[in-house]
Amino acid sequence: MKLISIKKPAFPWFGMDIGGTLVKLVYFEPKDITAEEEQEEVENLKSIRRYLTSNTAYGKTGVRDVHLELRNLTICGRTGNLHFIRFPTLAMHRFIQMGSDKNFSSLHTTLCATGGGAYKFESDFMTVADLELLKLDELDCLIHGLLYVDSVGFNGHPECYYFENPSDTQNCVKKPCCLDNPFPMLLVNIGSGVSILAVYSKDNYKRVTGTSLGGGTFLGLCCLLTGCETFEEALEMASKGDSSNVDKLVKDIYGGDYERFGLQGSAVASSFGHMMSKEKRESISKEDLARATLVTITNNIGSIARMCAVNEKIERVVFVGNFLRINTVSTKLLAYAMDFWSKGQLKALFLEHEGYFGAVGAFLELLKSSEEA
Amino acid sequence: MAGHVGGTEGGRNSMDKSITLPPDEIFRNLENAKRFAIDIGGSLTKLAYYSTVQHKVAKVKSFDHSVKEAEGDPVYEISVQEEITARLHFIKFENAYIETCLDFIKDHLVNTETKVIKATGGGAHKFKDLIEKKLKLKVDKEDEMTCLIKGCNFVLRNIPHEAFVYAKHADPEFRFQNTHPDIFPYLLINIGSGVSIVKVESEDKFERVGGSSIGGGTFWGLGALLTKTKRFDELLQLASRGQHSNVDMLVKDIYGGAYESLGLTGDLIASSFGKSATTDKQFSKEDMAKSLLHMISNDIGQLACLYARLHNLSTVYFGGFFIRGHPVTMHTITYSINFFTKGEVQALFLRHEGYLGTIGAFLKGAEEDNPNQYSWGENYAGSSGLMSVSPDINPMQRARSGTFSFDMLEMDRLERQLVNLPLLQDPSSYIPDTVDLTEDSHAREYWLSCFEEALDGVVKRALASQPDILEAAERAEKFRQKYRHKLQTLRQQPFAYGSLTVRSLLDTREHCLNEFNFPDPYSKIKQRENDMALKYYQKVVRALEDLSWEQRQFALVRGLLAGNVFDWGAKAVSDVLETDPGFGFEQAKQQLQERPWLVDAYNQWIERLKGEPHKCALFFVDNSGIDIILGVFPFVRELLIRGTQVVLASNSLPALNDVTNNELHILTERIAGMDPVIQAAVKDDRLTLVQSGSSSPCLDLSRLDKVLATVVRERRTDLVIIEGMGRAIHTNYYAALSCESLKLAVIKNSWLADRLGGKIFSVVFKFEVPPKTQGLH
């Protein structure tokens, strides 16, 4: 018989996902701290908790997504709230410096980290802050985190949603749904780049393919084309633009539908195709350019995802990643693309905690690692 | 000659009308042109027309037998006649010259029957009025994709070495594909402003299975926005100088190295333009253009792979203006396909990709003539090679220099339909040529020099064949210029017409000779040699009859080999023949290598002869004169006596001193007159003459006259004999047949002999028996 030590890991409980553009951090705030515990608690642990939970912004670029907070979560025998925090990867060095300043290493906690940055910044953590990282595979974390959040739900509501009538813009509405029997699913993670996984069970999955045309491409091109600086700015511009001033549509070439091949006149024939003309380049607005960039990247991801779903014979396509944050243009476009091009065969699903599953997965590993210790 | 085409109406200043068109080279045979088609793309116009070409052909005619010829009269008479053959002309030029070209056509067009011009391509609409006004032809628009596919099928079927793979760092960069007898099914990825992915299953069945809006227009449009560079070609030039890793976020930028558990290397692009999202610095035009090129090429490659996999297809061709001969894009697309399919699918490109639309539009218009029932051949004399107009040269620079650059393709309609020899073991892996000179630079250097050195002799011979024609000297000189220029081009660009081979060098020479109306420079020599050899025929046969069976078999083989020494195609021999016309049959035998020969399967052959006679032998014959009359005929006679039927296959049209089908008919008739064995065999149809469909000194067993294939099948041919250096060494040396075969030749070239490990006049006598097929007998 194997004795499982249920020795809990030391607080604070973090999970971190260091991506190409953004660092995602989940922090568990225990709400069941006894008076006795409180007395024993060291000062800097308290200060970390206070700092994180009483602010919604950290420095110039750190943000807590308050609306995503998972409340009254019981995990590993403790009850509390799970907080979701993000900041640019560019600020990573400042973050590590802060860990050093706050003497984080004295707390003897394990820092579970996933994403490429876990590897890239490993030695910086060690040399600057005397912190050893527990490095975790990002795809394992992604799947584990996703399944966990879906299983606990979103404060009493389903985590998952889809769009009803995706091919009808007038009547397209967001609907919650349950991911009770999620397998097999095609998981499309849109971060700076895109990874596409076929997931058959919690531990059985394969990376089908990926594309370098992802969120980083959208933002990168938008910055170059419009001079904007942030994702929010880029999306704001895109929401006001009209991509048909930038893209060449089927009807621009054929005067209407290309019936021989069943292509609608409104379909995009050539992304940025109008920009081959000098006159049009000179008269185009930044908003139109931002919109066209967003539509181009989104449609391309949709197209690759759809082909993978057909090749892998999977009907359920789940889109996650921070590219989809506050980005209903893309979510609706993806829902439409899956439905329309597959003639209703494929269904696009989305999750409320879009980009945080890797971090949640890392956080779960922290608890698991101490269980087995 | 109206060489200069001046401006007519003025107006559009984008049209360049001050250009001088070279009338001898461009829009050839326009006088007889009928049926036009035009494909106007974003920057290039491709024009197609069908024309007839008047050719001089050498005909031979037997003298009337009722009039007894005097001693010393030749065996047959030679006359030069005019013959009309059909040719397809395709020409490609920049849109800026369209008005100049239309004016030129208008001025030279004589045929008034033509009423319409078939048109396709995005620009067809824009130039409709101009075309209708200038040419007084009605513009009839055809669907772009249908034209593209029709054109693609046509070139794949009719042009050997049409498709190639591109490898930037290999030498040569181009690796040509063997034409597969069955071209279907395949996937065509057309990268125009957007991308269309078309699955082609048969001549008439194709389907657009998918596409993408990220294509050439995206590269151009987005590239112009990012770099303020207007032209597509300039953008590609920028890209070829850039470093994409300055702009793209690589795996190593995120991981610090590779993402090893997934096998993603550090240099892989994780996020295109990802660095421009996270850094404020200025990016160079070159770097952004390169990043954009990679982004688009990788994306197209990925989609192509996904569609290839979905439809279970491994033949994938790429075309469209994004590709159109640009090494930069061929490289990035190839890279992407290799990456995404792990080498399982190869990206294929087409030599005449730019012409597909116009070929298809033309074929649509010519459906009543049923062009697909004919076989067509690329005319090397009238076609520019691959990369003849470098896409990387700035068109503005070209315009300033005043040269009108254009690219041409000419295809001759062959009189006969060409098919595979039914006896090929595996038609799809058959490669006619023994050495690919594109790959073997040492051999290439030798043969190019060899053909260059032989040029004076060929010019002399061509001239001598037309002693009474005054302007022959001028034509001969033009031939010299043209062929020398072809050789120079091939030295620079060995890949210009597909894989360079001894066969293609010989064929190009024949095409150039024909071009300048030297249809048969060897006609008189052949006549004289045939004449001479006929006189010895009976003596040779009688001498053979006196020998024992064993001795006779050896003498027959030696006779065959000695006859083969008489070859004007081989430099060493033409030197001897030129200086010593009395070089006789017996002397030739003395030149032969003694046994054991360089390749010596004589013993196996004799053993085989002791067994069952063959049912039917197909004999590809070589030279006129002593070779055919004193070498081949006695050998054939013996086969006939053994009870083996014989099919003699000879060239349809002249090449060097090879015996043509016409000549062979007369010779056979004359021999039958002297020899009852031959006479009876001809009468009983046990000896049959067929034409090969070829006019080459070499032999491509995948392009043979359909009648030959039928005869071979009907007679249940079980032995193939291939004779001569051109047919059995330069080509077919490694050809695997499904029946027994005899390949024999005398190596009359010291360099080649050296290569094969022998000396000049070494003998190759190869007898091959295919592995026994189970289930037979």
Side-chain angles (χ1 to χ4, degrees):
Chain A
M1 201 174 91
K2 191 184 169 194
L3 269 176
I4 298 170
S5 145
I6 38 171
K7 180 177 164 285
K8 297 178 188 69
F11 284 126
W13 292 354
F14 281 112
M16 188 158 54
D17 176 5
I18 311 166
T21 315
L22 283 177
V23 180
K24 284 77 66 177
L25 193 69
V26 296
Y27 166 67
F28 183 80
E29 174 203 2
K31 286 294 215 183
D32 54 358
I33 300 176
T34 59
E36 187 187 353
E37 232 179 333
E38 184 135 22
Q39 286 217 318
E40 280 176 20
E41 207 174 22
V42 292
E43 195 46 44
N44 59 354
L45 184 58
K46 263 192 205 122
S47 98
I48 286 170
R49 186 168 72 238
R50 225 175 295 123
Y51 175 67
L52 289 176
T53 56
S54 59
N55 291 305
T56 57
Y58 314 95
K60 277 189 191 141
T61 50
V63 174
R64 179 155 63 89
D65 284 312
V66 183
H67 68 287
L68 291 179
E69 182 178 329
L70 292 177
R71 291 184 294 275
N72 283 321
L73 215 55
T74 302
I75 184 161
C76 219
R78 300 300 300 253
T79 302
N81 298 342
L82 200 58
H83 297 276
F84 296 86
I85 297 160
R86 61 185 151 86
F87 60 88
T89 309
L90 282 177
M92 200 58 208
H93 286 289
R94 243 178 301 146
F95 179 80
I96 297 171
Q97 190 57 48
M98 195 174 74
S100 165
D101 297 346
K102 302 247 156 141
N103 200 12
F104 201 88
S105 61
S106 66
L107 296 170
H108 302 292
T109 183
T110 315
L111 202 49
C112 284
T114 186
Y119 296 81
K120 187 180 176 186
F121 296 104
E122 184 183 18
S123 65
D124 292 334
F125 271 100
M126 185 52 101
T127 53
V128 178
D130 191 28
L131 281 167
E132 198 175 339
L133 295 186
L134 179 60
K135 301 192 300 291
L136 300 159
D137 181 78
E138 63 173 294
L139 301 181
D140 290 339
C141 287
L142 172 67
I143 293 166
H144 293 170
L146 185 152
L147 294 172
Y148 173 77
V149 175
D150 181 65
S151 72
V152 297
F154 186 14
N155 300 327
H157 302 285
E159 166 70 13
C160 185
Y161 65 91
Y162 69 102
F163 288 95
E164 203 172 65
N165 308 316
S167 298
D168 175 1
T169 39
Q170 300 297 311
N171 297 307
C172 172
V173 278
K174 181 174 165 180
K175 289 268 176 182
C177 72
C178 284
L179 203 57
D180 284 341
N181 185 13
F183 307 115
M185 70 169 151
L186 196 77
L187 183 55
V188 183
N189 185 28
I190 317 173
S192 313
V194 182
S195 270
I196 300 180
L197 321 176
V199 187
Y200 302 99
S201 76
K202 185 167 169 286
D203 299 306
N204 179 15
Y205 70 88
K206 65 172 182 190
R207 184 178 187 272
V208 178
T209 188
T211 164
S212 70
L213 285 82
T217 315
F218 162 64
L219 185 54
L221 283 174
C222 264
C223 292
L224 292 172
L225 294 172
T226 71
C228 73
E229 288 182 343
T230 65
F231 183 66
E232 288 77 3
E233 241 182 293
L235 278 185
E236 174 64 22
M237 271 197 279
S239 68
K240 293 179 195 147
D242 178 357
S243 58
S244 67
N245 294 328
V246 180
D247 295 340
K248 213 175 235 184
L249 308 184
V250 168
K251 67 176 172 219
D252 296 326
I253 299 174
Y254 294 98
D257 297 350
Y258 192 179
E259 279 162 28
R260 172 87 176 70
F261 296 118
L263 287 176
Q264 291 180 318
S266 60
V268 184
S270 173
S271 297
F272 287 84
H274 278 320
M275 297 296 96
M276 290 187 273
S277 132
K278 188 169 177 279
E279 296 76 47
K280 293 208 164 139
R281 277 200 300 277
E282 282 162 359
S283 66
I284 203 71
S285 77
K286 289 180 173 182
E287 287 75 13
D288 291 348
L289 289 172
R291 178 68 164 224
T293 311
L294 185 62
V295 169
T296 302
I297 299 296
T298 306
N299 276 338
N300 189 59
I301 294 169
S303 169
I304 293 171
R306 185 176 59 84
M307 285 304 293
C308 289
V310 174
N311 273 335
E312 301 298 324
K313 300 183 178 61
I314 297 175
E315 290 177 2
R316 201 181 288 110
V317 186
V318 181
F319 292 94
V320 297
N322 265 324
F323 173 66
L324 300 175
R325 193 172 65 80
I326 57 168
N327 186 358
T328 43
V329 173
S330 292
T331 46
K332 285 190 176 176
L333 211 49
L334 287 170
Y336 167 79
M338 290 305 108
D339 184 70
F340 180 82
W341 294 105
S342 75
K343 300 188 176 73
Q345 286 293 298
L346 299 177
K347 191 164 186 182
L349 299 172
F350 305 91
L351 296 164
E352 299 285 359
H353 287 81
E354 292 124 2
Y356 282 109
F357 301 115
V360 174
F363 163 74
L364 294 171
E365 280 300 312
L366 168 74
L367 305 181
K368 203 163 112 195
S369 66
S370 48
E371 264 176 36
E372 285 159 7
Chain B
M1 285 250 145
H4 185 85
V5 181
T8 45
E9 280 144 344
R12 298 163 200 247
N13 49 15
S14 64
M15 297 282 180
D16 196 329
K17 282 175 286 183
S18 60
I19 208 85
T20 306
L21 299 186
D24 282 352
E25 299 163 47
I26 192 171
F27 297 126
R28 292 158 19 114
N29 303 310
L30 206 54
E31 311 80 60
N32 307 314
K34 56 173 191 172
R35 205 163 273 140
F36 284 84
I38 195 162
D39 173 11
I40 309 176
S43 53
L44 292 174
T45 296
K46 284 78 67 174
L47 185 82
Y49 56 95
Y50 172 90
S51 184
T52 47
V53 190
Q54 219 163 18
H55 265 305
K56 296 251 191 290
V57 285
K59 293 269 182 193
V60 292
K61 202 170 122 232
S62 194
F63 283 110
D64 190 346
H65 277 282
S66 58
V67 189
K68 181 79 186 98
E69 69 263 34
E71 190 69 20
D73 268 357
V75 52
Y76 50 75
E77 63 176 328
I78 306 166
S79 62
V80 172
Q81 295 173 12
E82 294 283 340
E83 198 177 76
I84 299 203
T85 55
R87 185 176 289 177
L88 283 175
H89 297 259
F90 304 99
I91 172 159
K92 179 159 73 181
F93 49 84
E94 282 160 33
N95 287 355
Y97 302 123
I98 197 164
E99 196 168 349
T100 309
C101 291
L102 290 175
D103 282 331
F104 186 90
I105 295 168
K106 184 185 70 185
D107 293 345
H108 290 76
L109 193 59
V110 181
N111 187 307
T112 48
E113 286 166 42
T114 307
K115 295 275 185 285
V116 295
I117 177 166
K118 290 281 179 189
T120 188
H125 187 74
K126 187 175 159 194
F127 290 100
K128 182 173 180 280
D129 292 345
L130 185 71
I131 297 168
E132 294 196 333
K133 192 178 79 191
K134 292 274 179 192
L135 297 186
K136 311 266 183 290
L137 296 177
K138 188 180 163 296
V139 170
D140 193 1
K141 278 205 74 177
E142 288 290 340
D143 175 66
E144 225 174 314
M145 196 60 72
T146 311
C147 292
L148 200 64
I149 304 297
K150 261 192 176 305
C152 193
N153 292 340
F154 184 81
V155 295
L156 286 175
R157 222 173 325 94
N158 288 291
I159 306 186
H161 292 171
E162 176 60 30
F164 61 88
V165 294
Y166 181 79
K168 187 186 175 187
H169 300 292
D171 185 22
E173 298 158 79
F174 304 88
R175 221 167 59 245
F176 295 94
Q177 301 290 295
N178 214 18
T179 320
H180 197 285
D182 191 4
I183 61 171
F184 304 110
Y186 65 84
L187 209 56
L188 178 68
I189 318 281
N190 190 52
I191 315 173
S193 51
V195 181
S196 282
I197 300 177
V198 187
K199 177 184 175 184
V200 186
E201 285 177 281
S202 70
E203 194 56 55
D204 302 306
K205 194 175 173 206
F206 68 89
E207 185 191 354
R208 185 186 188 276
V209 289
S212 167
S213 66
I214 299 184
T218 316
F219 178 71
W220 195 342
L222 200 44
L225 286 168
L226 291 171
T227 67
K228 315 274 179 260
T229 303
K230 280 175 253 161
R231 297 189 57 94
F232 180 75
D233 294 356
E234 288 170 44
L235 276 168
L236 280 181
Q237 282 182 13
L238 279 182
S240 60
R241 296 196 298 264
Q243 279 293 332
H244 76 100
S245 56
N246 292 335
V247 183
D248 290 340
M249 188 184 281
L250 309 184
V251 166
K252 68 180 171 204
D253 294 320
I254 302 176
Y255 272 80
Y259 183 177
E260 273 159 20
S261 62
L262 287 181
L264 304 177
T265 60
D267 287 327
L268 208 64
I269 305 171
S271 174
S272 295
F273 287 90
K275 277 186 186 147
S276 58
T278 52
T279 40
D280 283 338
K281 67 169 203 177
Q282 288 286 311
F283 297 94
S284 80
K285 291 178 178 186
E286 287 81 1
D287 293 350
M288 288 190 288
K290 182 61 169 279
S291 175
L292 187 62
L293 177 65
H294 274 300
M295 174 180 109
I296 290 171
S297 300
N298 286 342
D299 193 55
I300 294 169
Q302 180 170 29
L303 280 170
C305 295
L306 287 166
Y307 280 98
R309 205 182 128 201
L310 181 66
H311 296 277
N312 201 16
L313 295 171
S314 55
T315 311
V316 184
Y317 300 105
F318 286 85
F321 81 71
F322 187 68
I323 300 290
R324 209 140 292 174
H326 294 292
V328 197
T329 55
M330 289 196 287
H331 171 63
T332 51
I333 287 284
T334 300
Y335 173 86
S336 170
I337 292 287
N338 283 341
F339 174 78
F340 284 108
T341 69
K342 299 182 177 73
E344 278 173 31
V345 174
Q346 283 187 318
L348 294 169
F349 305 96
L350 300 171
R351 276 204 287 143
H352 299 101
E353 190 277 318
Y355 288 111
L356 303 187
T358 190
I359 292 175
F362 174 82
L363 293 173
K364 280 293 272 188
E367 264 162 3
E368 63 195 66
D369 283 351
N370 210 354
N372 271 334
Q373 79 177 1
Y374 297 99
S375 288
W376 299 78
E378 179 179 11
N379 187 305
Y380 294 135
S383 303
S384 332
L386 184 63
M387 313 292 281
S388 69
V389 179
S390 166
D392 292 337
I393 297 174
N394 184 337
M396 301 309 283
Q397 290 167 359
R398 273 204 299 264
R400 252 177 263 127
S401 72
T403 48
F404 175 83
S405 73
F406 56 92
D407 182 277
M408 296 195 307
L409 166 65
E410 293 186 4
M411 298 200 55
D412 289 319
R413 192 177 81 192
L414 308 177
E415 289 307 303
R416 330 193 59 88
Q417 206 175 344
L418 304 182
V419 297
N420 271 311
L421 179 69
L423 298 169
L424 282 176
Q425 219 171 67
D426 175 16
S428 61
S429 67
Y430 168 71
I431 299 170
D433 305 287
T434 307
V435 179
D436 183 346
L437 302 180
T438 1
E439 284 174 16
D440 186 337
S441 60
H442 190 65
R444 176 169 76 232
E445 189 45 46
Y446 171 78
W447 286 110
L448 282 169
S449 303
C450 188
F451 277 86
E452 250 156 26
E453 282 164 27
L455 186 53
D456 281 343
V458 177
V459 170
K460 213 170 99 193
R461 184 127 327 282
L463 207 47
S465 72
Q466 298 179 358
D468 309 326
I469 305 172
L470 283 172
E471 36 70 70
E474 194 187 322
R475 278 187 286 116
E477 197 45 46
K478 280 184 177 171
F479 157 75
R480 185 207 302 274
Q481 301 288 343
K482 182 128 195 173
Y483 189 57
R484 183 180 285 150
H485 182 252
K486 290 278 167 193
L487 290 174
Q488 280 161 357
T489 306
L490 289 166
R491 205 179 273 278
Q492 301 300 317
Q493 296 163 327
F495 47 76
Y497 299 94
S499 288
L500 183 68
T501 60
V502 175
R503 176 168 63 108
S504 71
L505 285 168
L506 284 163
D507 289 355
T508 306
R509 191 166 73 188
E510 295 298 329
H511 291 176
C512 290
L513 281 167
N514 278 323
E515 190 62 47
F516 295 101
N517 274 325
F518 294 106
D520 193 359
Y522 289 84
S523 54
K524 294 218 164 61
I525 292 172
K526 288 189 287 183
Q527 183 194 39
R528 198 174 62 227
E529 288 178 353
N530 285 333
D531 215 27
M532 214 165 64
L534 278 172
K535 296 192 172 76
Y536 286 94
Y537 178 75
Q538 281 167 301
K539 194 177 152 210
V540 167
V541 168
R542 270 199 300 274
L544 286 162
E545 275 176 339
D546 290 342
L547 300 172
S548 70
W549 186 85
E550 295 263 0
Q551 286 174 322
R552 188 164 66 247
Q553 300 315 310
F554 188 61
L556 283 168
V557 168
R558 269 178 61 85
L560 208 48
L561 292 165
N564 200 245
V565 172
F566 294 85
D567 184 353
W568 284 87
K571 194 170 168 292
V573 180
S574 62
D575 289 349
V576 176
L577 288 173
E578 205 90 50
T579 51
D580 180 12
F583 186 75
F585 193 41
E586 290 308 316
Q587 280 166 287
K589 282 185 191 166
Q590 284 162 25
Q591 294 273 5
L592 288 182
Q593 181 191 17
E594 289 301 319
R595 285 193 68 198
W597 295 321
L598 185 56
V599 175
D600 194 338
Y602 181 74
N603 292 347
Q604 290 93 305
W605 170 243
I606 286 303
E607 281 314 303
R608 174 63 188 86
L609 286 185
K610 288 174 185 163
E612 278 278 293
H614 294 92
K615 281 192 204 71
C616 174
L618 169 66
F619 200 138
F620 288 99
V621 299
D622 189 9
N623 306 311
S624 300
I626 291 173
D627 189 356
I628 182 77
I629 296 165
L630 304 183
V632 174
F633 263 97
F635 189 89
V636 165
R637 187 178 191 272
E638 183 79 8
L639 285 173
L640 289 166
I641 292 167
R642 268 172 65 76
T644 301
Q645 295 191 11
V646 178
V647 178
L648 288 181
S650 54
N651 269 4
S652 300
L653 292 169
L656 294 171
N657 65 327
D658 291 1
V659 63
T660 64
N661 187 251
N662 277 335
E663 291 158 355
L664 190 56
H665 269 280
I666 296 170
L667 297 179
T668 308
E669 197 182 305
R670 293 297 300 269
I671 291 169
M674 300 185 270
D675 184 344
V677 174
I678 300 294
Q679 188 166 42
V682 171
K683 189 165 157 277
D684 303 344
D685 205 22
R686 282 180 291 114
L687 174 62
T688 312
L689 308 184
V690 293
Q691 46 184 305
S692 64
S694 162
S695 53
S696 165
C698 293
L699 178 65
D700 179 352
L701 296 176
S702 66
R703 279 168 77 84
L704 292 175
D705 192 318
K706 203 173 178 180
V707 174
L708 182 152
T710 312
V711 169
V712 160
R713 220 178 276 117
E714 281 172 1
R715 310 247 158 142
R716 298 164 72 194
T717 304
D718 53 356
L719 175 67
V720 174
I721 304 169
I722 307 176
E723 184 208 9
M725 235 169 44
R727 293 178 181 76
I729 307 288
H730 291 315
T731 54
N732 299 308
Y733 192 66
Y734 299 114
L737 299 173
S738 60
C739 67
E740 291 174 17
S741 64
L742 205 52
K743 295 168 189 168
L744 48 102
V746 180
I747 312 296
K748 290 151 289 189
N749 172 298
S750 51
W751 183 89
L752 185 63
D754 192 46
R755 265 244 164 162
L756 294 169
K759 290 202 183 77
I760 190 148
F761 297 117
S762 286
V763 168
V764 169
F765 188 89
K766 215 174 175 192
F767 176 56
E768 290 166 306
V769 180
K772 279 263 183 303
T773 322
Q774 294 227 322
L776 277 180
H777 308 295

